[in-house]
Amino acid sequence: MAEVTRFTHKGIFFSPQYHSVENLIFLENEFQLLDDDIVSVVYPKSGTHWMAEILSLIRHDGDPTWINSVKLADRAPWFESVTGMECALKYPPPRLMSTHLPFRLFPKSFLHSKAKIIYTARNPKDVLVSSYHFGKALKIIKDPGSLEEFLEKFLNGNGLMASGSWFDHVKGWLEMRDRANFFFNTYEELQQDLRGSVGRICRFLGKELNSQQIDSVVENASFQKMKGNKQSNGAHISDTVMDHTKGKLMRKGISGDWKNYLTVAQNEYFDRIYQEKMQGVKMTFPWD
Ligand code: PPS
């Protein structure tokens, strides 16, 4: 098995298979966001693929032809990766892009642009469990070890990659919440009422879809449909990056799976750290 390598940039670790310091510096300081850009910002394992699929469908008025024929990473490239940046630079506007980055590494040009940001957060306990399983299949990160060991890494900001601490990520991005071009939503809201969420996202984007078109977005962005769509279900992830026999991107797609994994003591410990780190955040989340 090849040796796992990683590098650290501004306190956050990245994989040389995907990222480079040059690209991260270029992205933060020189990359120009355009007023008609849409960027989906999601901490890993919190609904990145789901939101990319929803936004792809909205862009095409619910028509699934695009999502069924073009791979998700080309429809909504992760611009912090080297190949994602190449794709973003060639993307005919209006661009749709994704990122796992914390706000402090995001393009500075955002502060002077009307680019629209959609931020999706998920219950961190479910993020932990999803990351743990995915981490077991990823060949480009160190083995997560036991759940107990990974819990500690996750709470210390060393989960998967390219994103740092969940707490810093959410808090950093929430500082943008009063901006008209920033929309905050959660994985749990998507779960509870996808149709309502699609309507809210459309209003934020200034996109009008009729009832049948919204139905089509909802149907085609369902877990079952996405799991069966090889353009969206992680099938494109290279065998050098992931052992597809050990895990799946489209794993369970539910909320509250953490209850099947965390012991009472681990849950209490998590809650204690959560309270400490989220002190002062004046916002109620679906998992609170
Ligand atoms: S990644 O690799 O960081 O980009 O992963 P990400 O896409 O952020 O998150 C993967 C988790 O999202 C779940 N998922 C969905 N849930 C419900 N409905 C739909 N349509 C959907 N699409 C993806 C996926 O199953 C992963 O969660 P877990 O809990 O592991 O199942």
Side-chain angles (χ1 to χ4, degrees), residues 259-275:
K259 292 178 191 147
N260 297 317
Y261 291 93
L262 296 193
T263 63
V264 173
Q266 286 169 339
N267 184 37
E268 284 172 4
Y269 176 58
F270 198 116
D271 283 342
R272 213 164 46 245
I273 305 286
Y274 184 93
Q275 299 304 334

Side-chain angles (χ1 to χ4, degrees), residues 68-216:
N68 290 330
S69 55
V70 177
K71 70 177 179 188
L72 186 142
D74 289 341
R75 286 184 263 123
W78 279 253
F79 55 21
E80 65 268 34
S81 77
V82 174
T83 51
M85 175 57 82
E86 282 163 15
C87 185
L89 291 173
K90 283 191 296 214
Y91 203 119
R95 299 182 294 192
L96 188 56
M97 294 172 290
S98 309
T99 184
H100 290 315
L101 289 178
F103 180 68
R104 63 191 178 86
L105 296 189
F106 196 69
K108 289 196 171 87
S109 60
F110 168 61
L111 294 173
H112 312 285
S113 89
K114 296 193 177 86
K116 292 196 165 77
I117 306 294
I118 298 185
Y119 186 88
T120 309
R122 185 183 190 187
N123 184 339
K125 291 176 190 169
D126 284 331
V127 177
L128 163 79
V129 168
S130 180
S131 303
Y132 177 71
H133 285 99
F134 200 65
K136 286 277 176 197
L138 275 184
K139 294 178 179 171
I140 58 169
I141 61 157
K142 290 197 184 109
D143 185 89
S146 66
L147 184 62
E148 179 83 14
E149 287 162 343
F150 188 67
L151 170 71
E152 204 55 47
K153 284 188 197 163
F154 181 85
L155 291 174
N156 285 325
N158 293 309
L160 291 181
M161 60 178 152
S163 43
S165 146
W166 182 91
F167 305 100
D168 294 345
H169 204 277
V170 172
K171 288 190 284 188
W173 277 105
L174 274 179
E175 285 183 23
M176 295 297 112
R177 81 182 125 171
D178 291 334
R179 287 179 165 257
N181 56 343
F182 182 83
F183 180 86
F184 178 90
N185 75 145
T186 62
Y187 179 97
E188 289 71 20
E189 289 167 272
L190 298 174
Q191 280 275 0
Q192 278 159 24
D193 177 16
L194 184 53
R195 202 169 201 289
S197 289
V198 170
R200 283 187 287 280
I201 294 167
C202 284
R203 274 194 292 287
F204 170 68
L205 297 177
K207 175 94 181 169
E208 273 189 37
L209 295 188
N210 65 32
S211 184
Q212 279 165 331
Q213 291 167 333
I214 293 187
D215 286 345
S216 179

